[in-house]
Amino acid sequence: MTTRRSFTWGASALGLTLAAPGILRAQSYPSRPVRMLVGFAPGGPTDIVARQLAQYMTEPLGQSIVIENRGGANGNIAAQEIASAAPDGYNLFYNTSAIAISPALYPRLGYDVKSFVPVGLTATVPMVLEVHPQMPVNNVQEFVAYVKANADKLSYASTGNGSITHLGTALLLGRIGAKVTHVPYRGSAPALVDLAGGRVHFMSDTINSSLPFIKDGRLKPLAVTSKDRLAALPNIPTLTELGLQDVEVGAWQGIVAPAGTPAEIVTKVNGAMMTALRNKDFLARLEEQQTTPLGSTPAEYGAYITAELARWDKVVKENGITMN
């Protein structure tokens, strides 16, 4: 298990070496459409961003990127398929933060994170800590005091056991020293409906799902878990500025390829990704979906995944979280 969570990306995987034959290979790549797997159903938030990104990567890459959906097991089915796919640049995986969470939750994954080479970090969907309007708190300070005093009477929702909304809330509760009953749901929609109905008390969910409930007053936002305040909720502070450190959490996304994919091809795909992330039309579409563009080099993304693996492994162990 240790090797799964602590590893070093190889130099060639990070695009640090370019041999002359490889340069020639990159010049001819891609000569046909590239497929990119998404581990969730069509029409969901991750799928929408992946399809839009693929559209804006087509011109700089010189070929179309075809999205294929392999839903199930929190993205692990798609991850497993790409892990064993040919490392030729024609197989990509549009991954989510689940790639750094699953190794801690599933002791018998059908793949290892070292089965992938990082291409780049693409975007993140910030999260918001929200409560039912009748919960007697109006800010995070009051929330912390109330949760500590009533932990055994409260419950919080998530989009599923082991999801980023579950672990992100567990991380927050660990920082304030409270244990609260977790109620997992099958996605944001039923969780938000029950939260608005008062059947659970609070939740940390992605802003794109929660914003309609916040705007019509069905939910009360207390803080956002992003690094900076959000344009959609400019008066809502971040947890960090309120003194809760190391709780910056988002539903981040990126691209990986099978290990062994030539470094020069990884560099070329990363270049197309970065070009797309600078496209004003694409950025406007991301803003409409409350999605924050990021961007990175392959090496930066590798370091980011490594840090996230360690972070969520610790949260899972500290809270005794299991998939059952």
Side-chain angles (χ1 to χ4, degrees):
M1 298 302 296
T2 301
T3 55
R4 181 177 293 149
R5 301 181 186 118
S6 299
F7 59 93
T8 301
W9 303 102
S12 60
L14 296 177
L16 301 180
T17 59
L18 294 174
I23 295 175
L24 295 176
R25 178 168 46 197
Q27 289 174 345
S28 63
Y29 168 87
S31 59
R32 64 178 190 272
V34 175
R35 74 165 183 157
M36 185 157 67
L37 260 62
V38 174
F40 300 92
T46 303
D47 178 71
I48 290 173
V49 174
R51 290 179 183 275
Q52 292 176 349
L53 177 64
Q55 174 187 341
Y56 286 95
M57 286 177 63
T58 294
E59 183 176 348
L61 190 61
Q63 278 286 350
S64 61
I65 297 178
V66 180
I67 299 296
E68 295 183 12
N69 298 88
R70 297 287 190 277
N74 202 24
N76 288 333
I77 291 175
Q80 184 172 348
E81 181 173 338
I82 289 297
S84 59
D88 55 8
Y90 293 94
N91 298 290
L92 303 174
F93 177 37
Y94 194 78
N95 67 277
T96 66
S97 47
I99 199 173
I101 294 174
S102 290
L105 294 171
Y106 299 92
R108 290 178 293 277
L109 274 176
Y111 64 91
D112 189 282
V113 181
K114 290 186 290 185
S115 302
F116 305 112
V117 55
V119 175
L121 186 63
T122 58
T124 187
V125 182
M127 295 167 62
V128 56
L129 172 65
E130 55 206 354
V131 301
H132 185 271
Q134 293 183 3
M135 191 171 175
V137 299
N138 293 302
N139 54 55
V140 170
Q141 292 84 352
E142 292 178 356
F143 171 82
V144 170
Y146 187 79
V147 169
K148 285 185 174 182
N150 299 276
D152 59 337
K153 304 172 186 176
L154 301 177
S155 61
Y156 71 93
S158 80
T159 58
N161 198 27
S163 66
I164 190 67
T165 62
H166 174 200
L167 298 190
T169 307
L171 175 64
L172 171 61
L173 291 172
R175 292 293 179 270
I176 66 178
K179 293 284 187 181
V180 178
T181 300
H182 168 228
V183 182
Y185 288 82
R186 287 181 172 271
S188 287
L192 291 168
V193 168
D194 270 12
L195 178 57
R199 286 174 283 277
V200 287
H201 299 90
F202 64 94
M203 180 180 185
S204 295
D205 192 30
T206 52
I207 184 63
N208 53 1
S209 299
S210 298
L211 195 57
F213 287 80
I214 293 171
K215 284 185 173 181
D216 65 15
R218 285 181 288 170
L219 295 178
K220 179 165 51 177
L222 299 181
V224 293
T225 65
S226 51
K227 179 181 179 181
D228 303 307
R229 293 196 183 196
L230 305 180
L233 298 172
N235 297 321
I236 304 302
T238 70
L239 287 172
T240 300
E241 69 182 87
L242 294 173
L244 287 166
Q245 304 300 321
D246 192 34
V247 288
E248 182 184 332
V249 178
W252 51 268
Q253 307 164 9
I255 301 174
V256 296
T261 300
E264 64 277 0
I265 289 179
V266 170
T267 299
K268 194 165 188 175
V269 176
N270 176 270
M273 179 198 81
M274 292 300 294
T275 298
L277 288 171
R278 290 189 291 266
N279 186 290
K280 292 182 179 180
D281 292 337
F282 182 43
L283 293 177
R285 297 176 75 172
L286 289 180
E287 184 177 0
E288 291 173 358
Q289 298 163 68
Q290 308 301 322
T291 300
T292 303
L294 296 175
S296 76
T297 65
E300 290 168 342
Y301 191 31
Y304 185 82
I305 293 175
T306 299
E308 288 288 278
L309 281 163
R311 180 190 203 190
W312 297 119
D313 183 71
K314 182 179 180 182
V315 172
V316 167
K317 287 179 176 176
E318 288 179 347
N319 291 273
I321 298 171
T322 59
M323 298 300 294
N324 50 34

